[in-house]
């Protein structure tokens, strides 16, 4: 897996957006959109790495003025196209995606209401539903959890009434390492887990499966709740690993929350496996810990059943200083060893 | 408690980050991507240093913790510090640099 950023702009200002560092860097570099030559290099990288899909991210990827051309280039390489969108896309982008064979693309539509402003916007919601209807089986609605009082109930009628895939992709908003975005605090995970599990029962009864993005932890669910998720056909697997987000400048970051912090240069001939290994080495010391103080001693983490949550959250727990010692003159010998 | 004796000061290497977990301290050293888990006496000494306890206090309380005479505790402490210095976790502070008082972490963790 690797995500290719094709846009450095977005026309929404979602409070939980963890692409803020990336978007700010894009603005500073004056980079708004990827050009065709750079996109071809990214496609070369994907093909060289044996990755069968082009996962297009932004900013908002569908705002790219040549979006249909980029999609056509990816398809010409035989790649499945995955688009991460807020769903309020320009007609040319919607027409392009709606014209692809249903098995040639996956459009993940973020359904969070009120993302553009503090108040829910009925026109926005209506446009997202229209997008789902146009895309039908190409689309999977998603929802990003960033506050403890989230409500998923409204998503079921949308899934059942639009002809989109019978699934909902859940994301957990994670903090950018530098801060600045809204996210769900780990202390709220257990309550969120109970709420998700309750919804999973309703979803399963309606034939809708839950899909989970990275950063969830096992202990946010009880054993009974985990069984509910499994019975409902969810793909729940607590994970966090280098996603490989390729930015407009061609650098590969571990993931958006760690943009500018954990990155690897994409050299000529580099493959996703090379980069992932480099990033895994760089982050290995932090992987000893997890998002909670109990994670490092957790048997589930030890046996690989949980990664201990999002690395960005874990790294925020670490600090430098103020460890310091003044060794008396008489004991300076220790320092000469 | 007596005033810290005048002597050489050592501080955490700038590239080193650490976190206090439930039963251990995890030290991440960016150089070589090393992760070190400190437990028991080492974890205790590390946390005492993070709280700015002076050397004499460390010796006194290490002796209490391990039930050993002060001289033995001092040797134990020297060994621990020696190891951290050898691993580059601690580095000498600039001559004449005044030790800062312990302060809460700037970016307090979420855990």
């Amino acid at each position: 897996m690797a995500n290719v950023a094709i846009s450095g702009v977005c026309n929404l200002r979602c409070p939980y957006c963890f692409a803020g560092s990336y978007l700010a860097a894009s603005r500073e570099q004056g980079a708004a959109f990827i050009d065709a030559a750079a996109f071809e290099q990214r496609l070369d990288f994907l093909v060289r790495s044996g990755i069968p899909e082009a996962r297009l991210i932004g900013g908002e990827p569908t705002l790219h003025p040549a979006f249909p051309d980029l999609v056509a280039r990816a398809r010409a390489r035989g790649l499945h196209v995955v688009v991460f969108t807020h769903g309020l896309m320009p007609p040319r982008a919607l027409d392009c995606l709606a014209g692809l064979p249903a098995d040639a693309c996956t459009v993940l539509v973020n359904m969070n209401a009120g993302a553009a402003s503090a108040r829910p916007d009925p026109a926005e919601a209506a446009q997202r539903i229209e997008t789902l209807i146009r895309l039908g089986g190409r689309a999977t609605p998603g929802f990003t959890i960033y506050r403890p009082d989230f409500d998923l109930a409204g998503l079921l009628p949308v899934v059942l009434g639009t002809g989109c895939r019978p699934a909902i992709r859940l994301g957990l908003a994670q903090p950018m390492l530098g801060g600045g975005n809204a996210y769900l605090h780990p202390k709220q995970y257990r309550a969120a887990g109970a709420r998700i599990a309750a919804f999973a029962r309703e979803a399963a009864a309606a034939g809708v499966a839950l899909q989970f993005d990275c950063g969830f932890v096992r202990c946010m669910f009880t054993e009974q709740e985990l069984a509910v998720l499994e019975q409902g056909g969810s793909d729940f697997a607590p994970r966090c690993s280098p996603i490989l987000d390729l930015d407009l400048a061609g650098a590969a970051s571990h993931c958006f929350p760690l943009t500018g912090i954990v990155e690897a240069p994409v050299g000529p001939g580099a493959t996703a496996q090379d980069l992932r290994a480099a990033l895994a080495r760089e982050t290995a010391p932090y992987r000893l810990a997890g998002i909670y103080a109990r994670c490092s001693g957790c048997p589930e983490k030890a046996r690989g059943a949980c990664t201990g949550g999002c690395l960005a959250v874990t790294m925020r727990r670490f600090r430098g200083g103020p460890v310091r010692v003044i060794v008396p003159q008489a004991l300076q010998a220790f320092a000469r060893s | 408690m007596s005033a810290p004796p005048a002597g050489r000061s050592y501080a955490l290497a700038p590239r080193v980050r650490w976190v206090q977990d439930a039963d251990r301290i995890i030290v991440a050293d960016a150089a070589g991507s090393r992760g070190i888990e400190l437990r028991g006496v080492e974890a205790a000494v590390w946390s005492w240093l993070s709280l700015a306890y002076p050397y004499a206090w460390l010796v006194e309380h290490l002796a209490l913790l391990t039930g050993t005479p002060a001289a033995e505790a001092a040797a134990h402490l020297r060994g621990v510090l020696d190891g951290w210095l050898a691993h580059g976790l601690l580095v000498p502070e600039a001559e004449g640099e005044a030790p800062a008082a312990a302060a809460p972490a700037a970016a307090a963790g979420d855990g």
Side-chain angles (χ1 to χ4, degrees):
Chain A
M1 182 196 300
N3 295 328
V4 177
I6 62 171
S7 163
V9 297
C10 184
N11 51 350
L12 299 188
R13 293 292 177 266
C14 304
Y16 55 83
C17 180
F18 36 86
S21 300
Y22 156 72
L23 293 173
S26 298
R27 278 194 299 274
E28 284 173 16
Q29 295 160 8
F33 301 108
I34 198 167
D35 61 37
F39 187 66
E40 285 292 342
Q41 288 175 359
R42 307 292 189 277
L43 296 179
D44 289 343
F45 171 83
L46 296 176
V47 171
R48 187 165 69 230
S49 302
I51 295 174
E53 56 185 18
R55 298 163 61 92
L56 309 181
I57 59 171
E60 169 56 34
T62 63
L63 294 180
H64 195 298
F67 181 79
D69 175 60
L70 300 185
V71 169
R73 288 172 186 269
R75 289 295 302 140
R77 303 283 195 116
L79 299 174
H80 183 92
V81 174
V82 182
V83 181
F84 293 79
T85 176
H86 57 37
L88 312 176
M89 61 181 76
R92 65 173 182 278
L94 185 55
D95 291 345
C96 160
L97 293 171
L100 291 176
D103 60 356
C105 73
T106 300
V107 185
L108 297 163
V109 181
N110 189 329
M111 300 297 289
N112 281 67
S117 65
R119 289 172 300 180
D121 182 341
E124 253 186 32
Q127 190 179 345
R128 286 195 177 92
I129 288 171
E130 283 303 313
T131 297
L132 292 179
I133 291 171
R134 274 294 305 282
L135 294 174
R138 299 167 191 80
T140 300
F143 187 88
T144 302
I145 299 167
Y146 71 101
R147 41 191 284 181
D149 59 346
F150 63 94
D151 185 6
L152 300 171
L155 288 174
L156 276 184
V158 169
V159 173
L160 298 173
T162 59
C164 67
R165 288 180 190 164
I168 297 170
R169 178 187 166 95
L170 295 179
L172 205 51
Q174 306 293 357
M176 292 184 289
L177 196 54
N181 65 318
Y183 65 98
L184 196 70
H185 194 285
K187 287 176 181 166
Q188 298 165 320
Y189 279 16
R190 174 66 199 108
R195 198 175 275 249
I196 291 168
F199 176 70
R201 289 187 183 90
E202 294 176 42
V208 175
L210 298 188
Q211 300 174 352
F212 289 82
D213 206 341
C214 57
F216 288 84
V217 290
R218 201 172 190 280
C219 60
M220 64 192 290
F221 300 104
T222 64
E223 292 298 324
Q224 191 180 13
E225 289 166 350
L226 287 169
V228 168
L229 297 181
E230 188 178 347
Q231 288 158 14
S234 97
D235 65 350
F236 179 72
R239 62 183 181 272
C240 173
S241 59
I243 294 170
L244 287 192
D245 284 334
L246 302 177
D247 68 18
L248 290 179
S253 63
H254 183 282
C255 55
F256 265 151
L258 296 175
T259 296
I261 310 288
V262 182
E263 292 186 332
V266 186
T271 65
Q273 293 78 5
D274 301 331
L275 297 174
R276 206 166 280 125
L279 293 169
R281 270 195 307 277
E282 191 177 340
T283 55
Y286 299 98
R287 294 283 186 194
L288 293 173
I291 63 171
Y292 299 116
R294 62 177 183 269
C295 285
S296 54
C298 174
E300 299 296 337
K301 184 170 183 293
R303 71 180 180 90
C306 182
T307 54
C310 171
L311 185 61
V313 179
T314 298
M315 288 178 71
R316 283 169 64 92
R317 296 184 57 230
F318 280 75
R319 55 180 172 154
V323 174
R324 171 175 284 107
V325 60
I326 300 171
V327 180
Q329 295 282 12
L331 299 173
Q332 287 292 300
F334 104 88
R336 288 194 295 272
S337 59
Chain B
M1 191 181 299
S2 60
R8 192 71 189 269
S9 177
Y10 298 86
L12 201 65
R15 62 175 191 276
V16 172
R17 295 286 180 273
W18 63 279
V19 65
Q20 172 84 59
D21 264 5
D23 63 348
R24 73 199 74 182
I25 285 171
I26 297 173
V27 181
D29 184 356
S33 298
R34 288 184 307 161
I36 300 166
E37 290 184 291
L38 306 178
R39 301 167 195 251
V41 167
E42 282 200 302
V45 172
W46 189 281
S47 60
W48 290 339
L49 294 183
S50 76
L51 296 170
Y53 286 111
Y55 193 89
W57 191 98
L58 263 59
V59 172
E60 180 186 340
H61 285 77
L62 190 56
L64 288 173
L65 182 70
T66 57
T68 55
E72 198 172 316
H76 193 166
L77 178 59
R78 285 200 304 276
V80 168
L81 295 174
D82 197 14
W84 292 344
L85 196 70
H87 281 96
L89 303 182
L90 292 179
V91 293
E93 290 190 298
E95 292 291 343
E97 185 177 328
D110 292 313

